Amino acid sequence: MSDSAQPRTASADSGTSTAAAFSPLYQQIKALLVKSLDAGEWKPGESIPSEIELAARFQVSQGTVRKAVDELAGQNILLRRQGKGTFVATHLEPRVRFRFLRLAPNEGAPEPAQSKILDCRRIRANAEIARALEIKSGEPVVAIRRVLSFSNVPTVVDDIYLPGALFKGLTADLLNDYSGPLYGLFESEFDISMVRADEQLRAVAAPDDIALALGLTAAIPLLCVERISFTYGNRPVELRIGHYVTNEYYYRNSLN
Amino acid sequence: MSDSAQPRTASADSGTSTAAAFSPLYQQIKALLVKSLDAGEWKPGESIPSEIELAARFQVSQGTVRKAVDELAGQNILLRRQGKGTFVATHLEPRVRFRFLRLAPNEGAPEPAQSKILDCRRIRANAEIARALEIKSGEPVVAIRRVLSFSNVPTVVDDIYLPGALFKGLTADLLNDYSGPLYGLFESEFDISMVRADEQLRAVAAPDDIALALGLTAAIPLLCVERISFTYGNRPVELRIGHYVTNEYYYRNSLN
DNA sequence: AAGTGGTCTAGACCACGTT
DNA sequence: ACGTGGTCTAGACCACTTT
């Protein structure tokens, strides 16, 4: 085997416009890996094939597979463990949990949250929900309201909206019977992995119903967090509007 | 030259405890590069030597230099430009500006902010400032208050605290004569590059003086952002407490 | 044409975990 | 001992920018 280092050009010319998009081999491998993940070939928590096996499967060198896997590991989609293998990230591992829950106490160590479901019903998407989930207005949506407490202090009210088509058997009973992070339930019961999220943060006066759910007597300022979560391929699968009490807790962030 | 792939072990045993910390070559190179950046060998905006030159200088292969540079580029400390070279990141480039200013308008495209200095004086560090900046209580600190406006709407009040020892000639006049991002001024006038920051976010009722500075009539909820900024080597060099009006703007964030 | 970073390969060896 | 990911090297070629 002599030189075979030429990347296979990914996309054909679309006819009209400029040059064909050049796509490096490792990007193509990366896309293939994501496709397999999306198809459920490897489930969260499981290991994917070794680099050598993947190299053989895709007919590229181990180094090229490595670069593809490196990027997916950098996006926290895969998890490398030296000596053991490469694993599909899961929200059931404690290590990953605080990636999406950014509340930390002003003092002391973080504690696990207790969740209480206040409501779970099927509604039709209004314009805002439809836009966020990229579905049509009027399509079915599961609407959940829950309270998160730390050390028995109610701290967060989340309003969660999920595409009905993807969450068929989701009921209040199922939610109540489950303890652990919601995203873990979504993985194990509905085969939906949350991979990334965008958030918009604002300070607002507590709306009446939220204040009530939190046991607040006045409309104190709350941190309003509007989140859209995405699964593989940047497909939005959750809209979540949270209201956080930020007296004893704060939202932590890092700028790089 | 045969095999010379053995990494030079970085640290000697400290005597007491367990095995010597293994440090890969590229990490050592990375540390050397940061050291040079910190020493001002290459200034923000300038290019660093080519990979081939660096490989010769450090007596390693180009691939090892590449991995070190890759990581620094991933941290936004360096900036790679194909065909041109590798450059030291600078806050004067528009591309980098929105990395540290996370306010985006509810509608429309982001606009540049106008800054107005309300105050600039030298004070002594109280306990909170001293802890954040890792200096002693009572040491000199530059305290700045400014307002940021978008389209002439006052939106942010920042209280900024800087170690006096590092910002000798910083005066209100200097700040007023300057237009552009503060971090750009810090780079060009004081040789201090902001590389990373940690933030704590809370919703608070507007304090009186802040409300006054923003032209608010009532104590509406504000987003309070407490930021500690770091230069090379994780040395804290700025404490900044911002209060944001989040009616027309929001704080954007991404979770990965 | 020359120089830069970007991709790809092949092979050696190291560190870690399991068998 | 073996298999996994992690590091390091050397060399070829590609893509982009400047001379």
Side-chain angles (χ1 to χ4, degrees):
Chain A
M1 37 203 110
S2 53
D3 289 343
S4 65
Q6 296 80 354
R8 297 74 159 157
T9 305
S11 53
D13 289 46
S14 1
T16 56
S17 67
T18 54
F22 165 72
S23 173
L25 246 188
Y26 74 88
Q27 292 283 8
Q28 303 177 36
I29 305 299
K30 199 176 147 189
L32 289 172
L33 289 172
V34 169
K35 195 174 153 191
S36 288
L37 287 166
D38 197 18
E41 184 172 343
W42 314 298
K43 302 285 186 191
E46 293 179 5
S47 70
I48 70 170
S50 75
E51 294 179 351
I52 293 173
E53 286 177 279
L54 290 172
R57 166 162 162 183
F58 296 126
Q59 292 285 290
V60 298
S61 78
Q62 185 180 351
T64 299
V65 168
R66 170 157 273 273
K67 182 144 186 178
V69 171
D70 272 347
E71 292 213 350
L72 292 173
Q75 297 175 242
N76 295 306
I77 289 175
L78 296 177
L79 196 75
R80 318 194 74 146
R81 281 189 256 178
Q82 186 174 155
K84 299 186 72 174
T86 300
F87 298 78
V88 183
T90 166
H91 288 272
L92 289 166
E93 278 178 276
R95 188 189 168 289
V96 181
R97 295 264 285 278
F98 288 95
R99 213 153 47 88
F100 283 79
L101 180 53
R102 318 232 3 170
L103 275 187
N106 291 344
E107 335 242 337
E111 281 188 46
Q114 309 102 254
S115 171
K116 180 164 171 45
I117 306 295
L118 298 186
D119 192 21
C120 175
R121 62 180 71 183
R122 305 187 96 82
I123 63 172
R124 302 203 160 270
N126 61 26
E128 182 198 1
I129 296 172
R131 184 164 17 88
L133 297 179
E134 292 178 13
I135 60 178
K136 292 198 181 68
S137 273
E139 285 193 21
V141 164
V142 183
I144 301 164
R145 170 167 285 192
R146 69 153 181 195
V147 179
L148 287 183
S149 300
F150 297 93
S151 317
N152 289 314
V153 180
T155 305
V156 175
V157 174
D158 278 325
D159 283 301
I160 299 170
Y161 303 95
L162 305 162
L166 298 178
F167 291 84
K168 289 277 185 206
L170 185 51
T171 61
D173 285 348
L174 186 63
L175 291 168
N176 279 315
D177 288 351
Y178 179 81
S179 72
L182 261 195
Y183 290 170
L185 177 71
F186 294 171
E187 280 176 9
S188 55
E189 294 296 316
F190 303 96
D191 284 321
I192 291 181
S193 295
M194 299 303 189
V195 154
R196 198 181 66 76
D198 285 336
E199 294 191 334
Q200 299 185 357
L201 281 69
R202 294 178 183 84
V204 302
D208 287 346
D209 57 333
I210 304 278
L212 189 66
L214 288 167
L216 302 173
T217 55
I220 67 168
L222 298 182
L223 183 61
C224 175
V225 180
E226 195 172 324
R227 172 193 295 181
I228 300 177
S229 301
F230 301 85
T231 188
Y232 302 116
N234 276 319
R235 298 199 309 276
V237 285
E238 181 198 52
L239 168 63
R240 176 183 293 207
I241 298 170
H243 286 85
Y244 301 2
V245 180
T246 55
N247 298 320
E248 302 302 322
Y249 287 79
Y250 62 90
Y251 180 106
R252 72 193 151 74
N253 197 27
S254 284
L255 312 182
N256 302 296
Chain B
M1 34 203 110
S2 53
D3 287 345
S4 66
Q6 297 80 351
R8 298 73 159 156
T9 303
S11 52
D13 288 49
S14 1
T16 55
S17 67
T18 54
F22 165 72
S23 171
L25 247 188
Y26 76 88
Q27 292 283 8
Q28 303 176 36
I29 305 299
K30 200 176 147 189
L32 290 172
L33 289 172
V34 169
K35 196 175 155 192
S36 288
L37 287 165
D38 197 18
E41 182 172 344
W42 315 299
K43 301 284 185 191
E46 293 178 5
S47 71
I48 70 170
S50 75
E51 294 178 352
I52 293 173
E53 286 177 279
L54 290 172
R57 167 164 162 183
F58 296 126
Q59 292 284 290
V60 299
S61 78
Q62 186 181 350
T64 299
V65 168
R66 171 157 273 272
K67 182 145 186 176
V69 171
D70 272 347
E71 291 212 351
L72 292 173
Q75 297 174 243
N76 295 306
I77 289 175
L78 297 177
L79 197 72
R80 318 193 74 144
R81 280 188 256 180
Q82 184 173 160
K84 300 185 73 173
T86 300
F87 298 79
V88 182
T90 166
H91 288 273
L92 289 165
E93 277 179 276
R95 190 190 165 289
V96 180
R97 295 263 285 277
F98 288 96
R99 213 152 47 88
F100 283 77
L101 180 53
R102 320 240 351 179
L103 274 187
N106 291 344
E107 334 243 336
E111 280 188 47
Q114 308 102 254
S115 170
K116 181 164 171 46
I117 305 295
L118 299 186
D119 192 21
C120 175
R121 64 182 68 184
R122 306 186 95 81
I123 63 173
R124 301 203 161 270
N126 62 26
E128 181 197 0
I129 297 172
R131 185 163 17 89
L133 297 179
E134 291 178 12
I135 60 178
K136 291 196 181 69
S137 273
E139 285 193 20
V141 164
V142 183
I144 300 164
R145 170 168 286 192
R146 69 152 181 196
V147 179
L148 288 183
S149 300
F150 298 92
S151 319
N152 290 313
V153 179
T155 305
V156 176
V157 173
D158 277 325
D159 282 302
I160 299 171
Y161 304 95
L162 305 163
L166 298 178
F167 292 84
K168 289 277 185 207
L170 185 51
T171 63
D173 285 348
L174 185 64
L175 291 168
N176 279 316
D177 288 352
Y178 179 82
S179 73
L182 261 196
Y183 289 168
L185 177 72
F186 293 170
E187 281 175 9
S188 55
E189 294 296 317
F190 302 96
D191 283 320
I192 292 182
S193 295
M194 301 302 189
V195 154
R196 198 180 67 75
D198 286 336
E199 294 190 334
Q200 299 185 357
L201 282 69
R202 295 178 182 84
V204 302
D208 288 346
D209 58 333
I210 303 277
L212 189 66
L214 287 167
L216 302 173
T217 54
I220 67 168
L222 297 182
L223 182 61
C224 176
V225 180
E226 196 172 323
R227 172 193 295 181
I228 300 176
S229 300
F230 301 84
T231 188
Y232 303 115
N234 277 318
R235 298 200 307 277
V237 285
E238 182 199 51
L239 168 63
R240 177 184 292 207
I241 298 170
H243 287 84
Y244 301 2
V245 180
T246 54
N247 298 320
E248 301 301 323
Y249 288 78
Y250 62 89
Y251 181 105
R252 70 191 153 73
N253 197 27
S254 284
L255 312 181
N256 301 296

